[in-house]
Amino acid sequence: AARGGRSCAHTVAPAMTEQLKVPDCTSLLAFQAALFSNRWTAREIARLEENSATGTLLDGCRECLGFLDRIIHADTRDPGKTQQLKFQHMFCVAGKVCPDEAIKWMQCIQMASSRGGASAANTTCAPEKRRLEKCTQRAASLLVTAAMLREGGGGRSD
């Protein structure tokens, strides 16, 4: 599934990403951006690593950190390239954290867009898009909750 996230991101033509309504993965991307900028304490990260479910999610977020660096250092004179990097980054993170939902959405948009363009993909694939959005929201909530709460769930320990 991890490979599926990366290879699928490269199959969408840049012109299509300009019109395609991509899933809103803001909460998960915000968690990852905080990870990238070292806003989580060592203890909070350790809590995530100690838990098998959140440890896997954290590893997925870490695997896609290179995209953030590439976006930050991207040539701002080429907005198409920047948009493509942002799409690849979103799909990398979503694909690592919610591989089944990400693959189903990508397969749907590929099939629908081949028949009727981005407009058809947006309409036909709305349910898959929403499932991917919900999955990434649940994952972000799980990560933040696990990082912030003590073992017994009694609030912040820091």
Side-chain angles (χ1 to χ4, degrees), residues 46-129:
R47 283 189 200 110
L48 296 174
E49 292 171 336
E50 292 165 1
N51 180 307
S52 63
T54 57
T56 301
L57 297 174
L58 180 64
D59 288 344
C61 287
R62 285 177 170 155
E63 287 182 46
C64 301
L65 285 173
F67 280 106
L68 280 178
D69 189 55
R70 287 170 54 200
I71 290 166
I72 289 168
H73 295 98
D75 183 356
T76 56
R77 294 172 295 176
D78 187 354
K81 176 76 171 169
T82 303
Q83 277 305 110
Q84 185 177 15
L85 281 172
K86 286 180 179 181
F87 176 82
Q88 290 172 340
H89 171 239
M90 180 279 302
F91 196 75
C92 180
V93 176
K96 296 291 182 179
V97 174
C98 300
D100 294 338
E101 292 84 352
I103 288 168
K104 286 177 183 169
W105 175 73
M106 182 57 79
Q107 289 172 338
C108 182
I109 63 166
Q110 287 173 334
M111 281 190 3
S113 64
S114 69
R115 293 183 188 137
S119 177
N122 288 335
T123 303
T124 304
C125 304
E128 287 81 1
K129 176 180 172 268

Side-chain angles (χ1 to χ4, degrees), residues 9-20 78-81 83-85 87-88:
H10 297 287
T11 61
V12 177
M16 188 174 139
T17 59
E18 292 174 10
Q19 300 169 17
L20 182 67
D78 187 354
K81 176 76 171 169
Q83 277 305 110
Q84 185 177 15
L85 281 172
F87 176 82
Q88 290 172 340

